[in-house]
């Protein structure tokens, strides 16, 4: 099959109906699974077809201070405090920092527009209105964004950035082997809010990808401190990220005007294991010695490692 035939065949597929997708009918999974290989090949060919005018997403899109601190910590984990210093704790287990470089966000958004306009079928997260920016990002998900260059960037974010940051700030070591991610856009007329909930993750990284001049009103995020009963409200700014423990309850207020676009990525353990019982239970079980491994017993060098276990096939949704 020629390159053009692969793309043409993928683009000619008839997607499951919105109703079938929202109802999670068996035919929907069958559609994505039976066409998985074709779609992966189509994304690879799409990159080749557009190689002269398509961004290759990489770490240079990220905040220069974060890039520098992360690079130095990987070279010498004893310098990890410079990474922690970039994050402000706004509520217990909730931290904010600049993640994307606002000056490079237009490049990344242009890339995502090209993805949207590719006409290659993509699956949005279940439960949303299938808006333009609703895309599954992780290979464990049906209909994911399988463009090879994007996947390399996604894995760098998870392996080089999110995992060691979560271990450093949230004590997630042992519950972070597996990854998950999706993109979403909040709009006043659809997908406008999110009720109070917790995530099926050990850690969640929520990254705003609005351009600096792309204003919106509303869409504040509430984080609930179950110890004190207090609520902290924050608003996303261009390129900023919030990282928090999955068991921290949070809710999104309705967006009133404009649009808010975000990448949301999760870490959790094998077979979707997450810590139970609150922040004090974070840590992993070392079965050889029957003890709980916490941040106090983990060295800096252990935090700055990539798990060797393979990715499994469990997906939260």
């Amino acid at each position: 099959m020629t390159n053009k035939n692969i793309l043409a065949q993928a683009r000619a597929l008839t997607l499951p109906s919105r109703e079938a997708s929202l109802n999670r009918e068996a035919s929907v999974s069958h559609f994505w699974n039976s066409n998985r290989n074709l779609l992966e090949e189509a994304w690879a060919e799409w990159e080749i077809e557009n190689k002269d005018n398509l961004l290759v997403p990489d770490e240079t899109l990220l905040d220069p201070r974060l890039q520098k601190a992360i690079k130095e910590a990987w070279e010498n984990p004893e310098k990890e405090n410079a990474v922690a210093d970039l994050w402000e704790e706004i509520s217990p287990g909730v931290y904010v920092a600049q993640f994307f470089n606002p000056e490079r966000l237009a490049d990344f958004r242009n890339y995502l527009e090209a993805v949207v306009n590719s006409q290659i079928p993509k699956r949005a997260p279940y439960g949303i209105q299938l808006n333009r920016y609703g895309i599954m990002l992780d290979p464990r998900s049906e209909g994911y964004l399988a463009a090879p260059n994007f996947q390399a960037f996604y894995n760098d974010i998870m392996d080089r950035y999110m995992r060691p940051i979560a271990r450093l700030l949230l004590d997630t070591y042992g519950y972070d082997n597996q990854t998950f991610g999706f993109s979403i856009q909040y709009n006043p007329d659809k997908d406008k809010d999110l009720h109070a909930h917790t995530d099926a993750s050990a850690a969640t990284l929520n990254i705003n990808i609005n351009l600096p001049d792309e204003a919106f009103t509303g869409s504040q995020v509430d984080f609930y401190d179950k110890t004190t009963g207090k609520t902290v409200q924050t608003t996303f700014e261009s390129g900023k990220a919030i990282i928090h423990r999955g068991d921290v309850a949070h809710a999104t207020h309705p967006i009133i005007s404009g649009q808010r676009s975000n990448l949301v990525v999760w870490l959790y353990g094998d077979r979707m294991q997450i810590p139970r019982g609150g922040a004090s239970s974070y840590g992993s079980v070392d079965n050889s010695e029957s003890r709980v491994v916490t941040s106090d017993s983990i060295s800096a060098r252990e935090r700055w490692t990539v798990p060797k276990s393979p990715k499994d096939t469990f997906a939260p949704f």
Side-chain angles (χ1 to χ4, degrees), residues 87-259:
W87 294 83
E88 175 191 1
E89 188 171 25
I90 61 172
S91 184
V94 183
Y95 296 80
V96 178
Q98 193 69 39
F99 199 87
F100 273 93
N101 180 353
E103 296 179 0
R104 295 295 311 280
L105 270 173
D107 296 333
F108 187 57
R109 286 287 295 277
N110 287 339
Y111 175 85
L112 290 180
E113 281 296 322
V115 166
V116 169
N117 295 329
S118 68
Q119 298 180 295
I120 300 173
K122 305 163 281 292
R123 182 171 80 78
Y126 283 123
I128 72 169
Q129 299 289 331
L130 310 188
N131 62 52
R132 287 173 61 80
Y133 280 104
I135 305 171
M136 305 306 296
L137 305 178
D138 198 284
R140 75 181 63 251
S141 299
E142 300 166 345
Y144 75 105
L145 175 52
N149 288 334
F150 177 84
Q151 284 300 310
F153 174 61
Y154 173 78
N155 287 325
D156 267 354
I157 286 179
M158 306 305 279
D159 292 340
R160 285 183 51 78
Y161 285 78
M162 184 182 179
R163 187 179 291 106
I165 290 170
R167 289 174 173 179
L168 180 61
L169 301 178
L170 307 178
D171 299 344
T172 55
Y173 188 93
Y175 289 96
D176 56 15
N177 290 1
Q178 305 297 331
T179 62
F180 180 68
F182 58 95
S183 60
I184 190 170
Q185 186 179 79
Y186 291 92
N187 298 274
D189 60 341
K190 57 185 176 183
D191 306 319
K192 62 183 181 180
D193 58 15
L194 199 58
H195 298 302
H197 65 286
T198 58
D199 296 335
S201 67
T204 296
L205 180 68
N206 196 332
I207 314 166
N208 181 257
I209 55 173
N210 275 49
L211 303 181
D213 61 353
E214 196 172 20
F216 60 89
T217 59
S219 203
Q220 304 94 332
V221 182
D222 288 342
F223 288 96
Y224 304 99
D225 182 349
K226 59 187 176 184
T227 301
T228 65
K230 293 181 179 179
T231 297
V232 172
Q233 187 175 104
T234 188
T235 300
F236 276 103
E237 298 175 20
S238 177
K240 284 206 169 182
I242 298 174
I243 192 169
H244 60 87
R245 294 187 173 107
D247 67 353
V248 175
H250 51 289
T252 300
H253 288 245
I255 190 167
I256 298 169
S257 67
Q259 298 172 326

Side-chain angles (χ1 to χ4, degrees), residues 33-52:
N33 290 328
S34 62
N35 290 297
R36 182 182 178 101
N37 291 340
L38 171 65
L39 294 172
E40 289 176 342
E41 290 178 15
W43 281 116
E45 296 304 337
W46 174 77
E47 278 193 350
I48 293 171
E49 184 180 79
N50 294 280
K51 61 183 175 60
D52 294 331

